[in-house]
Amino acid sequence: MATTETKAAGSTPGLSWARVCKECGQQHDGLESHLYEYQDDVDDELVCHICLQPLIKPMDTPCGHTYCFHCLSNFLKEQDFCPVDRQRLQLHQCRPSSLLVRNLLDKLTVMCPHNAECQLQMQRCELQPHLHNRCPVFRRLREEAEKRKRPSWNELKGRKSDGELSGDAKHSATLSRNPTRDQPEPGLINPAYEESEDDNTPLRSSLVAEANVVELFREEPEEELGLRIVGGKDTPLGNIVIQEIVRDSLAARDGRLAPGDHILEVNDVSLASVPHARAMAVLRMPSLLKLTVMQEKGFKTRDPRPDHHPSSSTAPQPSHSPHGNTTSNHNPGTVLQVTLMKSQRSEPLGIKLIRKSDESGVFILDLLSGGLAAKDGKLRNNDKVLAINGHDLRHGTPESAAQIIQGSEVRVNFVVMRPAETQEEGGSSREGRARRPEPQYFKRRSTYMKDPPGGFSSQEKTVSLKKEPRLSLGITIAGGRDCRSRLPVYITSVQPVGCLHRDGTIKRGDVLLSINGVDLTQLTYSEAVSVLKAQTAQSQVVLRVIQTLSEDSEEDIEAANKDDLDPLEELRDDTLNWTPLWTRWLGLPSHMHWCRDIVLQKTNNESWGFSIVGGYEESHGQQPFFIKTIVPGTPAHFDGRLKCGDEIVAVNGATTVGMNNSSLIPMLKLQKNKVTLTVVSWPGSLV
């Protein structure tokens, strides 16, 4: 048995929020393993042979030894053998330990590291929730840090916190972590960042962004993170940007990443100047990923008028009474702040929270009769919970919300979004909230046609072959104009048993144009399957496809990384349900694009809340305009339909083709209360 004990950070002088680890509560270097104060002897079988401490994120080697992930990965940076038996070893050959071993480690008893004021003992897996929800020292450190830095939800509350820095000082302090953001990129247009000149509107300047490190651990090497990614140095966006968080995925359960986050580094590998496919290969590395991300936090509000007192119960975006009885004209709804005061810490609020199948986040299902929330009367069924006590829950879960509520003191602060009413005030609240209608898609009009971005193109291919009527083409397909993004039908695999594999012309990712003269570009998935089955029954088949091309192709990147993969890894990749990278769609001709209109509304001179990149540049010529950033707390963010990586093809029906920055900026500024954006949206690459 091994006795293990780590000295507490406790009340060590100099302890600060910036230096303390947010998982174990101790102060240690980011590359080092977490530190815990174990209260019992630990079996030798659960101890790492490198650090001689109980295993953290245990990894099994092919030769039968187990180490902490951090310990093993740091060791293998310098050596190429197992530390115990010196057999040849590489990190990608190792696998996470069994669930039984991980559960035994999670159940080890540890003490809160701040034991000068908090002497609680708990299982190791419970320490992080304890720190964030119950530990008084951890809470005090966080509150002190928030006094020096504007909380991320101040822009929703429409008021300033005590001790807040001035706009210029805050902007300088926040962006000092990433100096490159001070210099705008060529062609970057920021209609979101314009200051308001309305005398009745608090001025909003200094877009606040923070660089944060997020660690995600794959328990199985093939587990998806649940991120959809756009951008790359080979695209107009430049940076690698998170377009979407997949529901119930590893990233969604973690809760720290959000759409619009810019990924700067992965495991200390910079993504600043890598093509899209290479970034995807880095993000698909097994086990632990340490992501350095730049996260937009919204605008810092400054009001030079001393007699201006904005309401503390509503967001600055909508215009309504402090009690929230008047509905905003803004389509998604009204943002409200509600504070509930418990008579004692353990008093339940009487709120049932749920998730919805068609939208991320946490929603109020019901308020229990006689409960604190029902008596207060400000929260309602179907309210979306954006934050509780400053914790961002836009992509959270009911479980995480319940933990925050249980760990709170007597005051519980909610920030919620209330859907817009569709009936008069006297109508039923359940019946008065209509679902947003299904978006209407349409073919890209001739006036909206444009060339693909620089470095992307396409070529048509035609295959004519004679075959036995019963012989299959040997392809699988996906897409169709009824799928979420209205994609054309494309090939996901070419099977070795089919006649197209022997020909070799048709490749995975090719988009189907026609078969035997029958157009396939406007069909749903089921319609395309029916047509393909009918036409392949003939002895003569003429298949037309289109292949998109790029200078930094996915195939070249895969070939360059092939030496890093073992044969089993390659085999598994071929058997998975393959999906194209986002960059594959950029070379598709305009006449195959389907668009939709997104109408944004606002009630004052605030910004629309998105930045775009593109237009004419001397170095790149004419580039399409793409959404690069969506700012929290703005109309574009609350509407929820615009995504990073969307291409803007028209504004209020006027095409953006051929425009430069100086012509598009005034067009966006002139739209005071309503703007219609026509966009083409491609799904981000899934990792």
Side-chain angles (χ1 to χ4, degrees):
M1 305 290 284
T3 303
T4 57
E5 183 175 355
T6 306
K7 297 300 181 184
S11 56
T12 304
L15 183 66
S16 68
W17 178 253
R19 297 175 59 191
V20 73
C21 173
K22 307 307 184 290
E23 185 167 337
C24 69
Q26 304 272 14
Q27 295 187 100
H28 63 80
D29 184 79
L31 297 178
E32 297 175 349
S33 293
H34 298 298
L35 305 174
Y36 297 97
E37 289 193 49
Y38 298 95
Q39 299 304 296
D40 302 311
D41 291 340
V42 179
D43 192 287
D44 290 339
E45 298 297 324
L46 298 178
V47 172
C48 173
H49 294 291
I50 297 178
C51 67
L52 303 181
Q53 295 291 316
L55 292 156
I56 299 174
K57 295 184 174 70
M59 300 290 291
D60 294 337
T61 67
C63 52
H65 300 102
T66 305
Y67 306 94
C68 301
F69 175 83
H70 270 303
C71 296
L72 184 60
S73 60
N74 289 337
F75 180 86
L76 292 178
K77 288 178 182 178
E78 306 293 335
Q79 307 293 340
D80 62 352
F81 53 82
C82 173
V84 173
D85 59 18
R86 304 182 72 84
Q87 292 189 34
R88 292 294 296 272
L89 181 64
Q90 294 183 357
L91 187 61
H92 70 78
Q93 298 174 315
C94 304
R95 294 291 181 264
S97 298
S98 68
L99 181 61
L100 174 62
V101 171
R102 298 199 301 269
N103 286 342
L104 289 173
L105 290 164
D106 283 342
K107 291 180 179 180
L108 294 176
T109 302
V110 300
M111 176 175 281
C112 177
H114 309 297
N115 49 40
E117 300 182 42
C118 180
Q119 290 82 35
L120 289 180
Q121 297 183 12
M122 67 216 73
Q123 293 182 352
R124 194 175 78 176
C125 62
E126 298 173 346
L127 178 61
Q128 185 177 8
H130 162 78
L131 292 171
H132 287 269
N133 298 315
R134 293 181 290 277
C135 177
V137 178
F138 206 76
R139 183 187 304 114
R140 185 172 66 248
L141 291 174
R142 181 172 57 215
E143 290 173 350
E144 290 173 353
E146 289 175 349
K147 287 180 181 179
R148 297 188 295 269
K149 179 185 70 176
R150 185 187 66 83
S152 62
W153 283 98
N154 261 5
E155 74 276 4
L156 294 180
K157 301 174 185 176
R159 60 190 176 91
K160 296 173 64 177
S161 298
D162 295 337
E164 189 175 35
L165 296 176
S166 68
D168 294 339
K170 175 65 182 181
H171 190 237
S172 174
T174 306
L175 297 190
S176 63
R177 306 179 195 179
N178 186 15
T180 59
R181 292 185 63 87
D182 293 333
Q183 300 297 327
E185 300 176 21
L188 183 63
I189 309 169
N190 291 327
Y193 306 158
E194 301 297 326
E195 293 188 10
S196 170
E197 298 177 357
D198 186 354
D199 291 338
N200 297 321
T201 304
L203 296 179
R204 307 174 70 200
S205 62
S206 302
L207 184 67
V208 179
E210 295 179 352
N212 295 306
V213 176
V214 175
E215 289 188 351
L216 298 175
F217 183 69
R218 288 184 171 103
E219 294 187 352
E220 300 296 335
E222 65 273 12
E223 182 181 10
E224 291 180 345
L225 297 179
L227 304 177
R228 287 198 176 274
I229 303 297
V230 297
K233 79 159 188 179
D234 52 337
T235 75
L237 270 69
N239 295 350
I240 298 296
V241 185
I242 297 176
Q243 182 195 62
E244 186 179 356
I245 308 290
V246 178
R247 177 183 171 87
D248 292 329
S249 63
L250 176 61
R253 293 192 299 271
D254 179 82
R256 289 174 290 175
L257 296 174
D261 290 354
H262 290 219
I263 304 178
L264 308 180
E265 293 182 352
V266 177
N267 291 354
D268 299 321
V269 176
S270 174
L271 300 187
S273 58
V274 301
H276 183 87
R278 175 59 185 162
M280 290 295 294
V282 174
L283 286 164
R284 284 169 174 160
M285 291 189 296
S287 303
L288 182 71
L289 289 180
K290 185 179 72 171
L291 308 180
T292 303
V293 295
M294 181 62 67
Q295 299 181 308
E296 306 285 5
K297 295 299 183 181
F299 286 103
K300 175 185 175 69
T301 303
R302 63 179 178 86
D303 187 2
R305 300 179 296 277
D307 58 339
H308 182 79
H309 300 286
S311 168
S312 62
S313 62
T314 64
Q317 288 78 17
S319 176
H320 50 271
S321 73
H323 302 289
N325 294 328
T326 303
T327 303
S328 166
N329 291 329
H330 185 29
N331 188 40
T334 300
V335 178
L336 306 172
Q337 181 187 358
V338 175
T339 299
L340 299 179
M341 300 295 295
K342 298 186 287 187
S343 58
Q344 54 184 354
R345 180 173 176 174
S346 59
E347 181 183 5
L349 301 183
I351 301 174
K352 287 186 178 181
L353 301 173
I354 61 165
R355 287 182 292 185
K356 292 187 175 181
S357 60
D358 58 346
E359 187 175 353
S360 62
V362 182
F363 295 82
I364 295 178
L365 173 66
D366 195 17
L367 303 177
L368 300 182
S369 179
L372 180 60
K375 291 178 180 177
D376 180 80
K378 294 187 178 69
L379 292 175
R380 296 183 188 174
N381 296 351
N382 207 36
D383 284 353
K384 180 175 182 178
V385 181
L386 302 178
I388 299 177
N389 288 351
H391 294 273
D392 188 348
L393 290 170
R394 289 170 292 175
H395 303 279
T397 64
E399 293 78 16
S400 59
Q403 280 190 343
I404 296 169
I405 293 172
Q406 291 169 3
S408 65
E409 301 295 336
V410 294
R411 178 189 293 268
V412 186
N413 295 309
F414 287 82
V415 179
V416 300
M417 178 183 288
R418 179 159 300 157
E421 300 281 357
T422 58
Q423 293 183 349
E424 297 298 322
E425 285 295 319
S428 168
S429 62
R430 285 186 180 270
E431 298 175 357
R433 295 177 177 85
R435 293 173 57 88
R436 178 180 290 157
E438 185 71 17
Q440 298 298 313
Y441 287 81
F442 53 90
K443 289 185 63 175
R444 188 164 181 156
R445 302 187 180 103
S446 58
T447 54
Y448 298 165
M449 298 301 178
K450 54 84 188 172
D451 292 330
F456 294 89
S457 60
S458 63
Q459 67 176 18
E460 286 193 22
K461 300 184 294 186
T462 301
V463 175
S464 179
L465 50 88
K466 293 182 179 181
K467 53 179 281 296
E468 294 293 332
R470 295 183 179 180
L471 184 61
S472 168
L473 291 179
I475 59 173
T476 58
I477 63 170
R481 296 307 187 180
D482 56 342
C483 72
R484 179 180 172 189
S485 297
R486 301 306 192 269
L487 300 174
V489 178
Y490 61 92
I491 296 173
T492 58
S493 70
V494 182
Q495 303 295 329
V497 297
C499 51
L500 286 176
H501 181 269
R502 293 195 296 271
D503 178 82
T505 304
I506 303 301
K507 303 292 185 183
R508 183 173 65 175
D510 289 350
V511 175
L512 297 175
L513 297 178
S514 67
I515 182 168
N516 291 345
V518 180
D519 183 26
L520 299 171
T521 61
Q522 309 303 322
L523 302 184
T524 65
Y525 174 80
S526 58
E527 290 170 345
V529 170
S530 298
V531 170
L532 287 170
K533 285 182 176 179
Q535 296 300 320
T536 53
Q538 302 182 25
S539 58
Q540 178 85 19
V541 173
V542 178
L543 186 66
R544 288 178 57 241
V545 302
I546 193 165
Q547 177 185 6
T548 56
L549 307 170
S550 65
E551 292 177 354
D552 295 292
S553 69
E554 180 182 359
E555 287 78 10
D556 292 341
I557 299 296
E558 288 176 349
N561 294 331
K562 208 165 189 179
D563 294 339
D564 298 334
L565 300 175
D566 57 32
L568 290 177
E569 197 80 14
E570 277 192 84
L571 181 62
R572 185 178 65 245
D573 181 66
D574 287 339
T575 58
L576 286 175
N577 185 18
W578 179 85
T579 57
L581 294 187
W582 176 73
T583 47
R584 279 187 177 263
W585 303 113
L586 299 186
L588 203 64
S590 290
H591 66 83
M592 298 190 68
H593 294 183
W594 277 37
C595 308
R596 62 169 171 160
D597 288 336
I598 294 178
V599 179
L600 300 180
Q601 299 184 31
K602 60 180 182 178
T603 56
N604 52 39
N605 279 351
E606 63 181 334
S607 68
W608 290 112
F610 59 88
S611 69
I612 55 184
V613 63
Y616 179 78
E617 302 173 16
E618 290 186 6
S619 57
H620 297 94
Q622 184 66 46
Q623 297 279 1
F625 290 102
F626 288 92
I627 299 287
K628 183 167 186 175
T629 303
I630 296 176
V631 183
T634 61
H637 166 256
F638 288 131
D639 181 86
R641 290 175 292 173
L642 273 184
K643 297 184 182 299
C644 295
D646 285 358
E647 179 190 344
I648 299 181
V649 302
V651 177
N652 288 347
T655 179
T656 61
V657 176
M659 280 190 180
N660 54 26
N661 299 2
S662 59
S663 57
L664 184 58
I665 291 175
M667 180 181 292
L668 290 167
K669 285 183 177 179
L670 286 173
Q671 317 310 316
K672 295 299 184 183
N673 301 109
K674 179 179 178 181
V675 66
T676 300
L677 303 176
T678 304
V679 302
V680 173
S681 184
W682 304 117
S685 304
L686 184 61
V687 63

